[in-house]
Amino acid sequence: MSINTKQVKKNAYRITKTRGKTALRIRVPGGHLEVKHFDIIKKVADEYGNGTVHITTRQGFELPDIDFDKIPEVNKMIRPILEGLELAIGVDISDLESGYCAAGTRNVSACIGNRVCQFANFDTTDLAKRIEKEIYPNDYHVKIAVTGCPNDCIKAHIQDFGIIGLTEPQYAQERCISCGACVKNCKKRVTNALNFENYSVKRDADRCIGCGECILKCPTGALTRSREKYFRLVIMGRTGKKNPRIARAFLEWVDEETIIKVIKNCYEHYIEKYIDRTLPKEHVGYIVDRTGYDLFKKEVLRDITLDTKVKVARYIDFGGYMYDRNTMFTRGYN
Amino acid sequence: MGLKMNYKEFNNALEELSRNYKIYAPINMNGKGRFSGTDVVGYGEINKIEDAVFGLKSYYSPKEIVFPIRQTLFYFGDDEVKEPKVDDKDTIILLRPCDINGIERLDSIFLHNGTYEDIYYKKLRDKVKFFMIECAEGFDTCFCVAMKANKTDNYSVGMRVKNGEIYLHIKDKDLEEVFGNLGDEVDFKPDFIEKNKIEVNVPDPEKLTIDIFEHEVWKEYDERCIACGRCNTSCITCSCFTMQDVFYDSNQKVGERRRAWTGCHVDGFTDMAGGHSFRQKNGARMRFKTLHKVSDFHKRFGCNMTVGCGRCDDVCPQYISLSKCINKLYDIVEGGPKNE
């Protein structure tokens, strides 16, 4: 059997433990889909796979036990999925009959967001789809996730780009009954950013993380949401075999447009220019380790005018830990 | 006088009225709902009838117009006291029969409870004219009929807004002039709702004795109620307030005395000097509220305090229902389950 494994992997099929068998990965941008797509997933699993499906950690589906030579047939079958979950978003896929055209950039995942959740500060699936449109198809190894509030249920903190929805509480003093619900809650559950002065609530903007909990607690609507939606963009979190670490805040109180531009700049100017092409692939976080944060910052913020509200990390100490402490040193020049 | 007119004609009248009146109605507050991407209906000023929301019950009641959430009573400094100015304009409120009855309950507390009238309430209350919105269908959580708060004739104008047309029953002679030459004269009187979707049986207040205090019915609310205060603040008849003396930072001799809403479900409501506090358990707070609404107030003023607007049900994040609780009380004191 002759298989171009690189080609197959790019087509979103996996090289598996079982020789001759592959597994198809289906992207679900934003993690929310119409159930009509289940019919096709079921059909492929029944007719070509082993009748099972794995729900992936990035909110896709993986259909195991497919014969390599059935890839063209399976690709034809999943055409409606590509149409519904990619083309409909605006992703440019030239040949809809030949399956996924890239797998490097992982599915953009999202928590359930404000379609259902009371805490979420925006529609996470919508933004995930918008990002998918900008970055897919692409071969660069980048992980992006979108979460509705700083509870971070999607674990944006272990992504290369983690987008966390914020709101800026608006205070109408004349509606405040000084009940203390917001102050008490912020102290117990958040960052103690609220205080009483003369029976009115004072918000310490440096401490406030924009979660919106105070708005949820206020019985009179004295605290309400800002019309503008804001985000915290955390970067370069990862798991892996070298240096697992939590993402760190890069931009705070930033808007959606800026985030999209930053991500695009990262693909088009930063990774493109600095990736180590001697490797089969290089995960973006390790590029940042090599070039340093300053260069990353310069490249991804190019041609962007930041609103005065936006805070940019002056420096980032990514931390985490090294599995092999000796990786810091090598013998000789390599 | 009965009139039928279109929105344009009605808006002409509103424009003329707005010279002498601030006109309040339930309005949609865009993006101001508790959750992201949600609106909330509350009371605000309108310029035209299209600004008013008729298809939804307002989350907040019109109470705040006559009994502001936070109200400065007077400013003080050295040996001087000064009351804040009250707006020159009078007030028109578009509201439903239950809320008119609700404001009458506030009148009982602020104007007819004891020797003195509450002058701060009176100043605002005396300005008000009611434009009653016909409410013949009600909403899911309403129980106004059981509270006999579904009807009222206490209004200046009764109005039905339907299919782009407005029917008016004008009782106030002063307003006939404003509307007189608009629309067509018709025979119109507003209808009232006669049956709510939920039935509530109110126990005889005399049977609600001190024994009920220890009843296990309240235990459930110890667990369920989180004492967020939303029932109190959305209620048209909750009238409790607390006082605040605020000294201005720059000069500690001057400041203001104001009052602000509070309620039996708000933490700190019964705090006393020395730190003692009554009703620490949330079930006890539910008990206090429920008995005030259907027993204590009734014994003093001859009617239930609650008007059955059902807002407390609508806003409770724990889905606690006052009407359900009243029905439980009925079953307990009248002996036997009637309200399954």
Side-chain angles (χ1 to χ4, degrees):
Chain A
M1 190 185 283
S2 164
I3 292 158
N4 182 342
T5 57
K6 291 200 174 62
Q7 208 52 54
V8 160
K9 283 201 278 194
K10 208 179 153 182
N11 202 196
Y13 289 90
R14 191 187 280 276
I15 309 302
T16 71
K17 281 171 71 184
T18 311
R19 201 154 176 87
K21 295 283 188 186
T22 182
L24 166 66
R25 278 168 291 163
I26 289 169
R27 299 169 78 86
V28 183
H32 207 110
L33 76 170
E34 288 175 70
V35 292
K36 65 180 185 193
H37 298 299
F38 288 163
D39 294 344
I40 294 166
I41 293 168
K42 180 181 185 312
K43 203 162 176 240
V44 172
D46 272 342
E47 289 177 18
Y48 294 96
N50 62 10
T52 72
V53 60
H54 181 80
I55 300 166
T56 77
T57 56
R58 297 206 65 84
Q59 299 184 320
F61 297 99
E62 187 153 330
L63 284 54
D65 241 2
I66 295 170
D67 290 327
F68 277 107
D69 60 1
K70 294 293 190 294
I71 286 177
E73 287 169 53
V74 171
N75 278 345
K76 278 199 178 63
M77 273 177 81
I78 63 166
R79 178 185 170 129
I81 293 181
L82 290 182
E83 282 172 341
L85 295 182
E86 300 293 342
L87 202 66
I89 295 172
V91 172
D92 186 17
I93 296 179
S94 50
D95 184 0
L96 286 161
E97 299 264 305
S98 56
Y100 289 95
C101 33
T105 286
R106 305 301 199 259
N107 184 44
V108 184
S109 48
C111 73
I112 194 159
N114 81 355
R115 293 182 184 193
V116 174
C117 181
Q118 299 190 337
F119 289 98
N121 288 316
F122 72 110
D123 188 329
T124 51
T125 299
D126 265 3
L127 181 56
K129 285 178 172 177
R130 209 182 143 199
I131 294 168
E132 174 84 349
K133 173 180 175 265
E134 300 292 342
I135 55 154
Y136 190 78
N138 211 304
D139 292 331
Y140 293 147
H141 189 171
V142 179
K143 290 172 178 144
I144 303 174
V146 183
T147 203
C149 78
N151 281 343
D152 190 10
C153 294
I154 200 65
K155 277 69 172 149
H157 276 89
I158 48 170
Q159 316 284 331
D160 300 311
F161 289 103
I163 298 149
I164 299 165
L166 314 178
T167 189
E168 185 186 40
Q170 307 290 304
Y171 182 53
Q173 186 173 281
E174 72 280 4
R175 292 192 71 83
C176 178
I177 62 169
S178 322
C179 68
C182 56
V183 175
K184 242 181 286 174
N185 183 69
C186 191
K187 182 173 184 174
K188 281 194 170 170
R189 290 174 54 185
V190 196
T191 58
N192 200 13
L194 302 179
N195 238 311
F196 267 121
E197 265 175 45
N198 258 342
Y199 302 97
S200 288
V201 178
K202 288 279 172 304
R203 187 175 67 100
D204 181 343
D206 287 336
R207 271 187 165 159
C208 175
I209 59 164
C211 62
E213 285 250 0
C214 49
I215 298 158
L216 297 174
K217 296 287 181 242
C218 180
T220 57
L223 283 157
T224 55
R225 291 169 184 279
S226 51
R227 202 153 289 282
E228 300 75 20
K229 296 195 188 320
Y230 297 101
F231 301 89
R232 176 178 304 111
L233 180 62
V234 296
I235 57 163
M236 304 307 139
R238 64 190 176 206
T239 54
K241 299 184 183 99
K242 241 180 173 171
N243 172 212
R245 66 194 188 191
I246 293 288
R248 294 296 171 120
F250 169 42
L251 302 174
E252 290 186 344
W253 301 103
V254 69
D255 64 3
E256 183 177 321
E257 299 307 317
T258 306
I259 285 179
I260 302 269
K261 275 188 229 161
V262 164
I263 292 173
K264 282 186 80 170
N265 277 345
C266 180
Y267 276 86
E268 288 165 20
H269 298 290
Y270 181 70
I271 302 178
E272 177 73 22
K273 211 179 292 176
Y274 300 101
I275 194 168
D276 181 353
R277 293 184 193 277
T278 65
L279 298 165
K281 68 176 178 185
E282 191 179 28
H283 184 181
V284 61
Y286 292 97
I287 310 177
V288 177
D289 289 353
R290 282 193 291 101
T291 69
Y293 165 70
D294 280 345
L295 188 62
F296 167 83
K297 179 161 81 174
K298 188 180 144 228
E299 293 288 357
V300 301
L301 291 181
R302 64 153 63 200
D303 304 328
I304 290 174
T305 312
L306 292 175
D307 188 271
T308 49
K309 227 185 179 78
V310 179
K311 291 184 177 183
V312 185
R314 202 170 279 160
Y315 60 89
I316 297 179
D317 174 12
F318 282 108
Y321 63 92
M322 291 286 180
Y323 276 113
D324 177 4
R325 292 168 188 284
N326 295 326
T327 49
M328 304 291 281
F329 303 95
T330 64
R331 281 178 205 284
Y333 296 104
N334 54 350
Chain B
M1 182 166 71
L3 288 173
K4 182 179 110 172
M5 61 186 65
N6 59 32
Y7 281 12
K8 197 165 171 272
E9 289 168 312
F10 187 80
N11 285 340
N12 285 342
L14 281 191
E15 198 181 329
E16 197 181 328
L17 286 168
S18 67
R19 273 189 256 139
N20 300 317
Y21 295 93
K22 295 172 98 168
I23 302 156
Y24 292 89
I27 58 167
N28 183 55
M29 300 183 181
N30 186 261
K32 292 297 172 191
R34 193 175 303 278
F35 310 124
S36 77
T38 61
D39 302 340
V40 70
V41 179
Y43 266 79
E45 283 188 64
I46 60 164
N47 299 312
K48 53 186 197 298
I49 192 70
E50 289 90 340
D51 292 340
V53 172
F54 295 106
L56 296 165
K57 196 198 296 182
S58 67
Y59 186 99
Y60 300 109
S61 82
K63 170 174 77 176
E64 61 197 58
I65 302 164
V66 288
F67 173 38
I69 298 174
R70 183 187 265 204
Q71 182 177 25
T72 299
L73 306 183
F74 53 82
Y75 301 96
F76 54 79
D78 282 336
D79 54 356
E80 210 181 11
V81 164
K82 192 171 167 268
E83 284 185 32
K85 266 197 193 148
V86 176
D87 201 292
D88 290 339
K89 286 185 179 177
D90 284 340
T91 309
I92 287 170
I93 310 176
L94 274 62
L95 74 182
R96 290 167 197 276
C98 62
D99 283 340
I100 292 176
N101 279 294
I103 291 179
E104 286 180 16
R105 304 292 193 272
L106 295 177
D107 293 347
S108 297
I109 291 287
F110 286 117
L111 304 176
H112 312 305
N113 190 26
T115 317
Y116 299 102
E117 290 177 331
D118 184 307
I119 54 165
Y120 304 104
Y121 177 82
K122 190 171 163 54
K123 259 195 270 189
L124 299 179
R125 179 66 180 89
D126 282 348
K127 295 169 144 309
V128 173
K129 280 187 180 10
F130 294 135
F131 277 33
M132 187 190 74
I133 305 165
E134 183 185 72
C135 188
E137 286 172 21
F139 301 94
D140 287 354
T141 53
C142 299
F143 55 103
C144 57
V145 177
M147 297 301 136
K148 301 189 178 71
N150 53 325
K151 293 179 184 173
T152 180
D153 58 6
N154 178 11
Y155 57 85
S156 298
V157 176
M159 53 194 292
R160 172 186 296 165
V161 182
K162 212 174 180 179
N163 305 329
E165 287 183 320
I166 301 171
Y167 294 79
L168 300 174
H169 173 221
I170 298 162
K171 286 173 56 180
D172 187 326
K173 291 274 175 279
D174 297 346
L175 295 173
E176 280 186 358
E177 221 176 284
V178 178
F179 288 99
N181 54 357
L182 296 167
D184 305 320
E185 219 161 304
V186 290
D187 193 23
F188 169 70
K189 277 199 179 157
D191 289 335
F192 296 100
I193 188 168
E194 298 289 350
K195 193 173 170 21
N196 297 125
K197 284 175 191 157
I198 46 172
E199 226 165 275
V200 178
N201 296 294
V202 193
D204 177 356
E206 296 303 325
K207 289 187 184 170
L208 291 168
T209 59
I210 200 97
D211 299 337
I212 202 77
F213 272 46
E214 301 307 324
H215 199 278
E216 62 177 18
V217 69
W218 308 114
K219 279 191 189 147
E220 174 191 338
Y221 302 104
D222 283 343
E223 302 296 325
R224 290 178 66 195
C225 174
I226 57 167
C228 67
R230 284 175 219 179
C231 52
N232 293 144
T233 54
S234 69
C235 179
I236 179 81
T237 69
C238 275
S239 44
C240 291
F241 59 82
T242 182
M243 303 296 284
Q244 304 173 343
D245 275 353
V246 176
F247 297 87
Y248 299 148
D249 281 352
S250 49
N251 182 350
Q252 286 286 309
K253 284 182 180 167
V254 301
E256 62 183 275
R257 172 165 295 178
R258 65 191 181 209
R259 64 177 171 194
W261 290 0
T262 186
C264 44
H265 287 258
V266 173
D267 269 349
F269 179 64
T270 63
D271 283 359
M272 301 182 74
H276 182 63
S277 165
F278 304 105
R279 300 193 291 274
Q280 280 170 335
K281 284 188 172 172
N282 294 345
R285 299 177 183 192
M286 185 71 186
R287 180 191 72 205
F288 179 84
K289 180 181 70 189
T290 309
L291 293 181
H292 193 195
K293 298 295 181 193
V294 297
S295 171
D296 303 323
F297 187 95
H298 196 292
K299 284 170 189 162
R300 187 164 178 82
F301 296 107
C303 62
N304 291 313
M305 189 180 193
T306 170
V307 290
C309 74
R311 285 191 182 92
C312 50
D313 281 26
D314 299 331
V315 304
C316 178
Q318 305 299 313
Y319 286 80
I320 291 169
S321 161
L322 179 66
S323 54
K324 265 258 154 57
C325 185
I326 296 170
N327 274 339
K328 281 183 199 172
L329 284 185
Y330 180 89
D331 288 348
I332 292 163
V333 300
E334 303 291 343
K338 180 177 176 184
N339 301 292
E340 279 301 301

